[in-house]
Every structure is written in structure tokens, then in C-alpha cells.
Amino acid sequence: WGGGEGRRRRRGVRGDAGSGNTRVNTNRLAHLVEQCGLNPANIAAITFTNKAAKEMHQRVAALMGGRAPGGLTVCTFHALGVKIIRQEAKHCGLKPQFSILDASDMVQIVADVSRDADKARAKAMQWQISGWKNAMVAPDEAARLADSELASAAALLYAEYERTLRAYQAVDFDDLISLPVRLFEDHPDICERWQNRLRYLLVDEYQDTNRAQYRLLRQLAGVRGAFTAVGDDDQAIYG
């Protein structure tokens, strides 16, 4: 966890936005390679934005003589998901060169499936489906959880939305996490292979982790449980 800065804030002294999370992980990563002798190819440093991943990579390089070690994985949760899906595409019912839809594409598919020209309503239903995916709620569970007219309408569309994505050989942004989670649940041998490949995990900005991301981290950590997660609950934006 973020440590001292977070404790200072709780005592009422608010500091700058940063609480040393990235510094913790970059220094730990350098230590794991240089002092503990871990193979960089067995380490994954995971954060939440491409900008943060780039900064972390640069900091690691600065700590290690100006160049980050080869084979090291420094990326976002979603970039890691893309990597897993591309390499295991056939087990996900996809071709390796599947498409990743952007937000407007996702809304358009919902509008097409619902046969409703109201884009605002389509966007709202897409957000509902996205929320279910991030909570690892399957289409058959969604109808039971729907608590409004809009949610009930989205639940009716959810399964057809998924079938349409696969027919297009496409995934949405949420699939980049939920598909690897379901893949690892259905194929323990594949999960074990990735556990042996990424033997040590470092997660930055952990306070913003959702349920799907948590489950992916737990699957990759496995029984070995070799991970470090740092965060600052005062910076949580998805509370």
C-alpha cells in the first residue's frame, strides 16, 4: 500500500498527488533483477495508463544504467490482456488478428442490436453492459441483477451483443480483462503456463483495480503469490 504518505493524509496533512507508488515498484523491480537475480522475462510491472507504464519503464531504465533489461513486461492491465488473448486466441474463439473496438463502435453495435436509433440510450445500455463485464457478471446473470428498466433492456441485449462481437472477430475494451479471466478459469493448464512465465508481479495504483482486474491478478499470482501491490486509497477514482 502507499505507506507513509497515506498515513500523513489520514492525520490531516495532505501532500502532493503522488505518494511514491511508482518509486516503490521501480526500485523493487531493479532490486529483484540486480540483487535477487530474477530473470526480467519473468517479471510484469502493471499499471493503469499507457503514460504511467511509459514513465515506469523510463524510471527502471534510469535505475539500471540507462537501459531497461530485455524481456521485461511493463504495461497496463489491458495491454497485458491483449498479449494473452493474441497468444491464446484459438482458445478464446478468435483469430490472432482480432479487432479491438473503440467506444463509438461499441455504442453502434448496441444500437444495431437493439434496433433503437436513440444513441443516448444505446450509450447508457453499453455502459451498463460494461459495468457487468468489469464485475464478471455473465449475460445469464445480468437479468437477475437488473434493477431498472434500462438495466433490464441492457440485460436482454447482452448475450446478442457478445455474439455480434464474436461474429465480427472483435472484442471490446472490457473483454481485454474478462476474456483472459474466463480463459484461465476454463483452462487451468494455460493459466499455469502464464503463472510460470510471469513469476513476479508488481501492480501500481492498486486502489483503482476493479473485480475483473483483481481476479486476473489473483490467477496470475497463483499459489506462489509473488506480487507487490501499491496504491493510495485517497486517490481512488472508482470508489
Side-chain angles (χ1 to χ4, degrees), residues 126-189:
Q126 191 277 317
W127 270 100
Q128 177 63 75
I129 292 171
S130 176
W132 282 326
K133 286 192 173 188
N134 283 321
M136 297 304 301
V137 173
D140 57 350
E141 300 174 83
R144 178 173 54 84
L145 296 175
D147 57 1
S148 68
E149 185 276 328
L150 182 76
S152 296
L156 292 173
L157 297 174
Y158 189 178
E160 183 62 25
Y161 171 80
E162 292 287 86
R163 285 191 291 270
T164 302
L165 289 185
R166 299 304 169 261
Y168 289 160
Q169 283 291 299
V171 299
D172 63 23
F173 198 61
D174 304 306
D175 284 330
L176 301 182
I177 308 296
S178 61
L179 278 180
V181 169
R182 298 195 188 283
L183 170 71
F184 289 160
E185 287 176 347
D186 295 339
H187 299 276
D189 56 324

Side-chain angles (χ1 to χ4, degrees), residues 77-87 98 100 176-177 180:
F77 268 106
H78 291 89
L80 179 60
V82 171
K83 188 174 184 178
I84 294 169
I85 297 170
R86 290 221 186 274
Q87 294 189 29
F98 59 85
I100 302 173
L176 301 182
I177 308 296

